[in-house]
Amino acid sequence: MPDKTPSSTSTPISPAERIRATGARATPARIRVLELLSSAPVPLSHHDVELALGDATLDRVTLYRVLDWLVASGLAVKRADERRVWRFTLAGGGQHHSHVHFRCDACGRVYCLDAPAPIAPVMPEGFTLARLEFDLSGRCADCNRSAR
Amino acid sequence: MPDKTPSSTSTPISPAERIRATGARATPARIRVLELLSSAPVPLSHHDVELALGDATLDRVTLYRVLDWLVASGLAVKRADERRVWRFTLAGGGQHHSHVHFRCDACGRVYCLDAPAPIAPVMPEGFTLARLEFDLSGRCADCNRSAR
DNA sequence: ACTTCAAATGCAACAATGTTGCAATTAGAT
DNA sequence: ATCTAATTGCAACATTGTTGCATTTGAAGT
């Protein structure tokens, strides 16, 4: 029974409404991708979205255009991950608490350290800070052990 | 005055010697690329290297292999930049003091803030920390002004 | 409901970046 | 000078992203 997001007192804006609010058309492609991003616990790559859509696949090019449109319209944010793959997240919505990552230069693995995120520095006048990421690199225990 | 922080009395190791020291062959391709990386003030991409070699071009594939070999042998380090292009730097030599970067989600520009780098967290047993990077993102003053 | 038309899509073709297999070349040891 | 495994160059392929254009469609107006 899919209960349709209980609308207590606030208005639960649907993906379609959020899209129309930007002045653009609420097409199935945009709606589905936006829903996916909304429910994804982590940033999704173009390929992730393709797989997730599964049967109801969009054209590859359309997906590129939808994703870029979401970014241009401010609904999503695009970032390259450590393996230089583009990943998309809902703008603002994410609220991913800022991780600390360690990447091994030798094997490429990424570890999530559980260390406190550093405090944000003072931003220059007019700048808005949306997210901060602290990335460390070096050699992991495995590689240090095997290589020398 | 570019004093190359040589260890005063030590021998200035030539690229060829440094390559042979790893047990591999000192080929012209490797020597030229290593020299390039040594003299480059900033990390170079595959394409940068191709352009820099100019007339004396290597095969595209050979260059990929040389760069990867440099990384595998520990002479160079590979990192993706904000535009997700691989960039190579001499290992160790760099000593780029750890910057704090701010990337604008709207225009993509990268600003170097001059803020103190955060202190490194305690590393797990066996891990070696080689570099740390603190990346911030949001909207820059220009974009905040124009796009409300 | 029906029309209309710019916006959005799908397709085909292309571009950039990276990878693999293999035959020809060559650095460096003997 | 010779030998041989380590490199190289080439061709072919894979992945990821872009562009032009003909077709379809959301939603505004009738």
Side-chain angles (χ1 to χ4, degrees), chain A residues 90-109:
Chain A
L90 268 207
Q95 214 61 287
H96 264 202
H97 77 95
S98 35
H99 266 95
V100 177
H101 289 139
F102 176 90
R103 193 174 58 82
C104 176
D105 287 333
C107 64
R109 267 178 295 181

Side-chain angles (χ1 to χ4, degrees), chain B residues 91-142:
Chain B
Q95 214 59 290
H96 272 195
H97 78 94
S98 35
H99 267 94
V100 177
H101 288 137
F102 176 89
R103 193 175 58 83
C104 176
D105 287 332
C107 64
R109 268 179 294 183
V110 174
Y111 299 81
C112 289
L113 307 185
D114 91 309
I119 37 151
V122 209
M123 296 300 297
E125 184 63 30
F127 281 57
T128 314
L129 181 61
R131 163 180 359 217
L132 69 175
E133 208 155 306
F134 190 31
D135 292 315
L136 313 179
S137 57
R139 293 176 79 95
C140 69
D142 280 0

Side-chain angles (χ1 to χ4, degrees), chain A:
Chain A
M1 285 290 120
D3 73 328
K4 312 196 60 197
T5 50
S7 47
S8 32
T9 50
S10 71
T11 355
I13 313 172
S14 77
E17 285 167 335
R18 214 168 333 179
I19 291 167
R20 283 195 209 94
T22 71
R25 289 193 194 166
T27 66
R30 287 177 180 166
I31 295 172
R32 261 179 307 172
V33 174
L34 188 54
E35 282 173 344
L36 250 175
L37 289 187
S38 304
S39 58
V42 297
L44 299 180
S45 65
H46 174 103
H47 190 58
D48 291 340
V49 175
E50 259 186 333
L51 293 181
L53 289 177
D55 41 327
T57 321
L58 298 177
D59 184 74
R60 219 164 54 82
V61 177
T62 300
L63 180 50
Y64 276 116
R65 293 199 270 226
V66 165
L67 288 170
D68 284 343
W69 176 84
L70 286 171
V71 172
S73 69
L75 291 174
V77 170
K78 181 190 199 179
R79 266 192 82 75
D81 70 9
E82 322 74 30
R83 289 197 284 277
R84 20 122 300 171
V85 173
W86 287 123
R87 298 201 165 265
F88 300 83
T89 1
L90 268 207
Q95 214 61 287
H96 264 202
H97 77 95
S98 35
H99 266 95
V100 177
H101 289 139
F102 176 90
R103 193 174 58 82
C104 176
D105 287 333
C107 64
R109 267 178 295 181
V110 174
Y111 299 82
C112 288
L113 307 186
D114 94 308
I119 37 152
V122 207
M123 297 301 295
E125 184 63 30
F127 281 57
T128 314
L129 181 61
R131 164 179 357 217
L132 69 174
E133 209 156 305
F134 191 31
D135 291 315
L136 314 179
S137 57
R139 292 176 79 94
C140 69
D142 280 358
C143 292
N144 271 328
R145 199 176 309 119
S146 57
R148 144 130 311 230

Side-chain angles (χ1 to χ4, degrees), chain B:
Chain B
M1 285 294 116
D3 72 329
K4 314 195 61 204
T5 53
S7 30
S8 31
T9 56
S10 76
T11 357
I13 313 171
S14 77
E17 286 166 336
R18 212 165 337 175
I19 291 167
R20 281 195 210 94
T22 70
R25 288 192 195 168
T27 65
R30 287 175 180 167
I31 295 172
R32 259 177 310 170
V33 174
L34 188 53
E35 281 172 344
L36 250 175
L37 289 186
S38 303
S39 59
V42 297
L44 300 180
S45 66
H46 174 104
H47 190 58
D48 291 340
V49 175
E50 259 186 332
L51 292 181
L53 289 176
D55 40 327
T57 322
L58 299 178
D59 182 75
R60 218 163 54 82
V61 177
T62 300
L63 179 51
Y64 276 115
R65 292 199 270 226
V66 166
L67 288 170
D68 284 343
W69 175 84
L70 285 171
V71 172
S73 69
L75 292 173
V77 170
K78 180 191 201 179
R79 264 192 84 74
D81 71 8
E82 323 74 31
R83 289 196 285 276
R84 24 117 302 172
V85 173
W86 287 123
R87 299 203 164 264
F88 300 83
T89 1
L90 268 207
Q95 214 59 290
H96 272 195
H97 78 94
S98 35
H99 267 94
V100 177
H101 288 137
F102 176 89
R103 193 175 58 83
C104 176
D105 287 332
C107 64
R109 268 179 294 183
V110 174
Y111 299 81
C112 289
L113 307 185
D114 91 309
I119 37 151
V122 209
M123 296 300 297
E125 184 63 30
F127 281 57
T128 314
L129 181 61
R131 163 180 359 217
L132 69 175
E133 208 155 306
F134 190 31
D135 292 315
L136 313 179
S137 57
R139 293 176 79 95
C140 69
D142 280 0
C143 291
N144 272 328
R145 199 176 309 119
S146 57
R148 165 93 298 258

